[in-house]
Amino acid sequence: MKYLKMKRAANRLLLLTLVLLGLGPAGVRAQTVIGLDSAEAQTLRRHPRLRQSDREIEEQRALKRGSFAPANPDFLFSAPTGEMWAPGVVQTIDLPNVYRQQSKVAQAGITLAERNREVSRASVLRDTRLAYLALQFAEAQVRQLTYQDSLFRVLRVATERLFTAGEVTSLQRISTDAEARQVTVQLQQATADRQAAQRRLGLLMGRPNEALATSTDLGRTGTELAQTGTALLAGLPAEDSTALVRSPTLAAATQNVALSQSGISLVRARRTPALTVGYQNQAFENSALKYRFQFGVSVPIWFWTYRSQLQAATARSQAASYQLQAQRLELSSQYQQALADTRKFSASLGYYEQTGLPQSRAIISQSQRLFRAGEVSYLQLIMSLNQAFAIQNTYLTTIRDYRQALVELNYLRGE
């Protein structure tokens, strides 16, 4: 008789569970669904870091237009005869090689600014993809915990009724209540995480006050992700240097070396003499030469100044070369870590896709079936459900970590 009562109570419990799980949450704030491609496009249009990079490129282009920059002319008034004052002007002009080297330095500065913009663009895209992924993960957790919370709420209500009827022990009642409250707290935390993720993605897109929602359920992307990751790993080159050849960070560091080397050429060009031409003053009416012109050479005799400038430019070039080497080492280390993470999570995802996730579904199905038959207690049901939900949550975490590793790997490769 006792088992019949438990079976009838279990049936009523499961019926109520289905009813509750079929109800949607009331009063949910209207959300704006957005895809990853759209989020990336909007971020690239509005992010201030890219606008800053555009202004820096404009600055360097303006400097290049002024690369032909002769010294200011000297306007003079002199009285060579002591009888009258006459105006004059003197202009010093460097040899053409100086202006040519100045133009090369300016062009190298423009190229460096463009390379830095590519670095900024890649960083913004990585941040957007990670923020979008964080929102996907938060949404998936809210969905998962909402299901768990609804289920455990019904279990708690049913346990209270059975405890009042004397059909379950106090331990079963307390355990069910503790599990239900714990899941409720986890759901509240997941909801707060989702709001924070919406805010973070909205800030990147320039829409901080909108309640954003992703267009894809993270939990349904496991199979597609496994195929994408496998294809990517199969096509990666064996050498780090080959894999990182399109890295924007490495390209910017390489261009910085080129800029510093062009600076050395400019210092050397400025060590050459300059030409001086001028019109000094007018002569008297009866002078044989009506106009007096001046021609000369500006000689760089202050050798220590130019030697110090050359030493500074050489040290700057060497520092840029060492910075390039350090950047290459750092990128190689990050690439190896991202590659190891990708392979690790690829294996983990394969396990959950083939074994873990089907087992969790089987645990939920069989535990409910055995519970309806009165063959397992509430405690055994709760333990089975917790085990299944833990597997599903780890599955979601694995998908998130796998996608994070792929985002980092593509960022380092300049993809």
Side-chain angles (χ1 to χ4, degrees):
M1 180 64 65
K2 181 177 180 180
Y3 283 105
L4 291 177
K5 290 182 179 178
M6 290 183 64
K7 289 169 65 176
R8 288 195 296 268
N11 290 332
R12 292 196 300 270
L13 166 66
L14 293 176
L15 179 60
L16 182 57
T17 300
L18 293 176
V19 172
L20 287 179
L21 292 180
L23 296 177
V28 178
R29 181 182 175 187
Q31 294 182 334
T32 303
V33 179
I34 187 169
L36 178 58
D37 293 340
S38 178
E40 290 178 355
Q42 293 185 40
T43 303
L44 291 177
R45 286 198 305 267
R46 301 177 180 179
H47 203 283
R49 191 184 305 172
L50 295 178
R51 295 181 180 179
Q52 173 190 351
S53 298
D54 291 337
R55 300 293 86 75
E56 290 174 350
I57 293 175
E58 291 182 5
E59 174 192 4
Q60 294 301 319
R61 288 175 178 170
L63 291 175
K64 186 178 186 300
R65 290 193 293 269
S67 58
F68 178 72
N72 293 326
D74 296 328
F75 292 95
L76 309 173
F77 284 90
S78 60
T81 62
E83 297 181 4
M84 60 176 292
W85 289 90
V89 60
V90 178
Q91 175 68 59
T92 300
I93 303 176
D94 292 314
L95 295 180
N97 186 47
V98 175
Y99 302 114
R100 185 163 51 248
Q101 293 301 327
Q102 288 181 168
S103 179
K104 289 181 179 180
V105 170
Q107 183 59 48
I110 294 175
T111 305
L112 179 59
E114 293 172 345
R115 296 289 183 271
N116 286 332
R117 189 189 187 281
E118 291 301 316
V119 174
S120 298
R121 184 179 185 277
S123 299
V124 168
L125 283 177
R126 179 186 60 177
D127 294 343
T128 304
R129 290 165 183 170
L130 292 177
Y132 192 87
L133 176 60
L135 180 55
Q136 281 184 306
F137 180 71
E139 290 174 345
Q141 280 199 315
V142 168
R143 282 190 292 267
Q144 177 75 19
L145 289 170
T146 299
Y147 173 78
Q148 292 178 232
D149 182 65
S150 300
L151 179 59
F152 279 105
R153 282 176 182 270
V154 174
L155 286 174
R156 182 171 61 182
V157 172
T159 304
E160 288 289 343
R161 293 177 179 177
L162 293 176
F163 176 75
T164 303
E167 297 180 1
V168 296
T169 65
S170 176
L171 177 60
Q172 291 174 326
R173 171 178 172 270
I174 295 174
S175 298
T176 305
D177 182 72
E179 288 292 338
R181 294 182 184 277
Q182 182 178 359
V183 172
T184 300
V185 172
Q186 292 174 351
L187 176 59
Q188 293 172 351
Q189 294 174 346
T191 303
D193 291 339
R194 182 182 61 183
Q195 293 174 350
Q198 289 173 335
R199 177 74 175 178
R200 183 161 59 251
L201 180 60
L203 286 172
L204 289 172
M205 296 172 53
R207 301 162 62 179
N209 297 322
E210 291 191 36
L212 301 175
T214 62
S215 59
T216 308
D217 183 357
L218 187 66
R220 300 180 182 273
T221 63
T223 303
E224 177 268 335
L225 176 61
Q227 297 174 354
T228 302
T230 301
L232 176 63
L233 290 173
L236 290 178
E239 298 294 332
D240 295 353
S241 57
T242 306
L244 298 175
V245 68
R246 298 177 59 184
S247 170
T249 305
L250 201 59
T254 302
Q255 181 59 31
N256 189 39
V257 174
L259 175 61
S260 62
Q261 290 175 347
S262 62
I264 295 178
S265 300
L266 177 59
V267 171
R268 288 174 176 169
R270 287 174 175 170
R271 296 172 65 181
T272 57
L275 302 178
T276 301
V277 278
Y279 166 72
Q280 193 164 11
N281 54 52
Q282 293 178 334
F284 292 109
E285 294 181 358
N286 57 356
S287 283
L289 296 175
K290 297 268 182 199
Y291 303 97
R292 299 182 181 179
F293 295 95
Q294 176 181 353
F295 300 94
V297 176
S298 175
V299 181
I301 62 174
W302 315 123
F303 61 90
W304 58 85
T305 301
Y306 297 99
R307 182 175 61 188
S308 299
Q309 293 176 354
L310 182 59
Q311 290 175 348
T314 303
R316 189 181 306 114
S317 177
Q318 293 173 348
S321 299
Y322 288 128
Q323 182 184 12
L324 174 60
Q325 296 178 19
Q327 192 71 70
R328 185 176 286 112
L329 288 175
E330 183 178 357
L331 289 176
S332 297
S333 176
Q334 294 176 355
Y335 176 78
Q336 287 298 327
Q337 183 62 53
L339 185 60
D341 290 341
T342 302
R343 289 171 176 167
K344 174 179 65 177
F345 294 125
S346 176
S348 299
L349 182 61
Y351 159 74
Y352 284 106
E353 283 283 328
Q354 298 173 9
T355 306
L357 202 57
Q359 285 181 342
S360 70
R361 294 166 181 163
I363 290 173
I364 294 176
S365 175
Q366 294 183 21
S367 64
Q368 290 180 346
R369 179 178 58 81
L370 293 175
F371 177 72
R372 286 196 302 268
E375 299 180 12
V376 297
S377 66
Y378 277 104
L379 292 181
Q380 292 173 316
L381 175 63
I382 290 173
M383 290 177 60
S384 298
L385 292 177
N386 282 338
Q387 182 183 13
F389 291 145
I391 293 174
Q392 293 178 359
N393 187 64
T394 307
Y395 171 68
L396 289 176
T397 304
T398 301
I399 294 179
R400 180 200 61 183
D401 295 341
Y402 194 5
R403 287 195 175 276
Q404 284 180 344
L406 288 177
V407 168
E408 186 67 21
L409 193 64
N410 288 328
Y411 166 74
L412 295 172
R413 296 173 58 240
E415 299 290 340

